[in-house]
Every structure is written in structure tokens, then in C-alpha cells.
Amino acid sequence: MAGDGRMFLPLLVVLTGLGPGALQIFLPALPQIRADFSADPGVAQLTLSLSTLSIAVAMLLFGPLSDRIGRRAAVLLGLGVFLVGSIGCVLAGSIVMLVIARVVQAAGGAAGMVIARAMIRDRHPPEDAASMLAIVTTAMVIAPMLAPVLGGGLTDLFGWRATFAASGLAGLVILVFSLQSLPETRPADTKARPGLFAGGGRLLGHRDFLAYALQGAFSIALYYALLGGGPHVVMEVLGGSATHYALWFLPVAFMFMVGNLVASRISRRVGLDRMVLIGSFGNVLGSGLALLLALLGMAAAWTIFLPTALVAFFQGLSVPNGQAGALSVDPNAAGTASGLSGFLQMAFAAAAAQMVGMLQNGTVWPLLLTMFGCGLMSLLCFLPRLTGSRAASTG
């Protein structure tokens, strides 16, 4: 099926935003969910934590699946799973059933996050793919920014089940448009397509894939360290409010979007590896600046969030280019590469957020040191790619 070329990029944008949006839209409803089911807060929190784990595992599976059965079929399957999970959430009669249904919904939403990247790489060379990935990646920021606002309004007006109904309705609309307009992009070649373990193992043994994937994983981990530790630092350590935190976080999200938009314009001209290297240095520069200001006794919200906004801009430059690079290592396994790199990003992100939480000691240091460590590792992990390229060009 050829599909409608005009709908290709918009469809990939909404497919990418569906999973993150569904993850965030019900968060304002958590207190009401706990009250309705008389649930322990830790059990209710599983609707979020197990959903995050579900996304990570599903990303690992949907990538190679799309290499085997085709991108279009895998997307449609994921959307079907998402709808089943959404219906289960709306009809859930207990907190346990809600957790299970939310895990199913999250798994289905992960399909678009993975396969959209692979579909772009199928159609475009690395530098062009990086420009388009920069546009698609903004959906992963915009959706989580808008979804809680929508979810809060729906909860206040109609109750918590309306948040899952809204997610399901969005998934249904996207499914209808995908059936009509989403093309198959997987290359039609005769080479055997690797399975999950064979393809994943081959990629993990490839120096260039590891350089791109680990650079991106540590970059995202830096961002999630702020998500995990920022609220505690602002509200408990610095004495701010939830609104205070939300307002300070806005420039971080905004600068990430700006960085992605700049990357969409200049990646082809500057070059993929240079963009990733610039972003890696930006990770170190921004997180190092926040750490230095704290060492000088200037620990405050602005000394954390404004340098992190600088980091976010540079990540907007590097993340889409790193994704394009990871997917270009083996074009026959672009789906597997997308799923594996996505899994590494989610796993490292969860580990960084958890580390900040476990190390909390009433100061800013656990957050700032974790962020700086992730930024430094993003640079160190990418250096083998540069030294290898230089050796190849002079050999």
C-alpha cells in the first residue's frame, strides 16, 4: 500500500507522541484512583512504574518484529494492543485490573515510538533521517507537557476513567488514519532478517552502534535524573512549591524543542557525528556549570534549571542525530536497532531516576552529581566512534 505521502510525517509524529501522552495524562487522576479503589499509594504507583517497564520491554520486541513482519503491520498490531489496554483501563473494577490494563496499553503505545524511527530511516539517508527524527522527537516532549493539563481537566469534569477514554479515542483515530494512509517502508530485499537475539547481539557487538546508543542513553538518563530528583530538590531542599517546579521545568522542555527544530534545519549541513559530538560537549558543559555554581555556594532553582535548559538545547541537537546513526549501522536491522536503542534509553533513564531517589540526603548533590556523571559518560561513550572513524580515514 503506497499510502498518502502528505500524511506520512504527521502520522509518525502522533504515533510517537501517543505512548508518552498516555503515560502522563492519567497522573493527575492518581489521587482519585487511589481513593476510588481504597488502594495503597505504592500499589497505585504501579500504574506508572510498571507502565514504564512495559514500554522498555515492548520497545525491545516491536523493533525486530517490524523487521520480520513489516513496519505497517507492527504499527497496526501495536495500536490494536493499545486500544485493548485503553478499554481495560476504562472498565477496570479493581486497582489490580487497572495496573494490568495500563501495562497492556503502555506496551501497545511503545510500537509507534520505536517503529516511527525505523520508518524514517527506511526512506531517508542518515543526515536526512536526523532532520526528520528531530521533528518527530519533539512529540515526545510536547505530549508529556500537554497531557497532564488535559488529564487534570478531564478528571475534574468527568472522573479518572475519562483520561483513559481520551487516550483510547486518540488511539482509535490514529488507527483509522494509519489504515488509510500509513505505507509500508521496510526495504523489500531478499536477505534473511535477524531475530531479536541474533540481531540484537550483532548490534551490541558493533562499536559504532554502541557509541551512538550509549551516548543517547546517557543523554536521556541525564534528563530523567532531573525528572526524578528535581521535584524533591525544589520542594523539599529549596522550599519551593509544585507550581514553582513546573514553571522552572518549562524552559528545559522548551529548549529541548528548540534544539530539535535547529537540528532539523542544520543536521544535513553540519553532519551527523559533529552534531552528536556538539551535544555531548553540551551535556558536560551545562551539567558541569550547575555543579560548579553549587560548589560556589549558589545552590538555587535557577542555578539548576537554567544550566539544564542549556543541556536540553544541546540534547535536541544530538539525540535525533544519534538515533539516525544507530539505525544506520545495519539497514537490514533498523527496527531491531530502534528497539534496542530505545530500550537502553528507557533502562538508563529509569536507573538514573532511581539512583537520585535512593541517594537523596536533603541536599542538591545527588541530583547534580548524577546529572554530571551522565553527561560525562555520554561524551566518553561517543569518543570510540570518532577515533575509529579517524583511524579508518587515515588507514
Side-chain angles (χ1 to χ4, degrees):
M1 182 177 295
D4 186 346
R6 295 170 300 177
M7 290 293 296
F8 182 65
L9 186 57
L11 264 176
L12 296 190
V13 170
V14 294
L15 280 168
T16 301
L18 181 63
L23 184 67
Q24 297 285 335
I25 192 172
F26 75 93
L27 294 184
L30 271 178
Q32 192 177 106
I33 290 172
R34 288 198 299 266
D36 280 6
F37 290 129
S38 300
D40 181 83
V43 175
Q45 193 71 13
L46 292 175
T47 56
L48 175 62
S49 57
L50 288 186
S51 295
T52 304
L53 179 61
S54 177
I55 290 175
V57 174
M59 291 178 84
L60 194 62
L61 298 175
F62 269 113
L65 181 65
S66 74
D67 285 335
R68 307 281 295 187
I69 69 173
R71 314 293 190 221
R72 176 182 161 85
V75 166
L76 297 179
L77 174 63
L79 288 172
V81 172
F82 181 87
L83 286 177
V84 170
S86 299
I87 294 171
C89 290
V90 172
L91 300 179
S94 69
I95 189 64
V96 173
M97 292 306 300
L98 180 62
V99 169
I100 294 172
R102 176 62 200 128
V103 167
V104 173
Q105 185 195 49
M113 299 168 65
V114 174
I115 300 169
R117 303 176 191 175
M119 295 183 83
I120 288 173
R121 180 60 190 93
D122 291 339
R123 282 195 162 186
H124 300 277
E127 285 76 13
D128 292 342
S131 297
M132 293 188 68
L133 282 168
I135 297 173
V136 170
T137 303
T138 58
M140 298 185 68
V141 177
I142 294 174
M145 285 177 60
L146 299 180
V149 178
L150 176 60
L154 289 172
T155 301
D156 290 340
L157 291 173
F158 306 108
W160 63 265
R161 296 181 192 271
T163 64
F164 296 107
S167 295
L169 180 61
L172 179 61
V173 171
I174 295 171
L175 175 60
V176 170
F177 277 99
S178 297
L179 285 168
Q180 294 176 343
S181 304
L182 189 69
E184 177 57 68
T185 64
R186 186 188 66 172
D189 56 48
T190 57
K191 294 182 180 179
R193 302 197 176 267
L196 169 60
F197 296 107
R202 190 170 69 200
L203 288 168
L204 288 174
H206 200 294
R207 181 196 60 207
D208 289 346
F209 175 80
L210 284 177
Y212 288 123
L214 291 178
Q215 191 280 337
F218 277 111
S219 292
I220 298 300
L222 190 162
Y223 185 76
Y224 269 75
L226 180 66
L227 291 179
H232 172 79
V233 167
V234 170
M235 290 182 273
E236 301 296 329
V237 178
L238 301 177
S241 65
T243 301
H244 192 199
Y245 165 75
L247 291 175
W248 274 114
F249 190 77
L250 285 178
V252 178
F254 176 74
M255 291 303 291
F256 185 74
M257 287 189 291
V258 171
N260 273 274
L261 293 175
V262 171
S264 71
R265 296 295 186 91
I266 70 173
S267 291
R268 185 187 305 178
R269 183 168 65 253
V270 175
L272 189 148
D273 284 353
R274 282 184 184 171
M275 292 289 283
V276 177
L277 183 62
I278 291 170
S280 301
F281 276 115
N283 285 341
V284 177
L285 175 64
S287 60
L289 177 59
L291 186 60
L292 176 62
L293 290 172
L295 287 170
L296 295 175
M298 302 171 65
W302 73 268
T303 65
I304 296 172
F305 283 87
L306 293 186
T308 307
L310 179 65
V311 170
F313 172 77
F314 283 107
Q315 288 187 349
L317 301 181
S318 65
V319 169
N321 282 277
Q323 290 175 350
L327 270 60
S328 301
V329 169
D330 185 350
N332 279 320
T336 302
S338 180
L340 185 55
S341 61
F343 171 79
L344 290 173
Q345 288 177 2
M346 295 297 293
F348 279 48
Q354 187 67 22
M355 180 181 297
V356 173
M358 291 174 61
L359 296 177
Q360 289 294 354
N361 60 0
T363 72
V364 300
W365 300 116
L367 172 62
L368 296 181
L369 288 171
T370 300
M371 290 171 59
F372 180 71
C374 290
L376 184 60
M377 288 301 298
S378 73
L379 175 61
L380 294 177
C381 286
F382 191 63
L383 292 181
R385 161 68 185 170
L386 299 179
T387 56
S389 298
R390 191 175 297 115
S393 64
T394 58

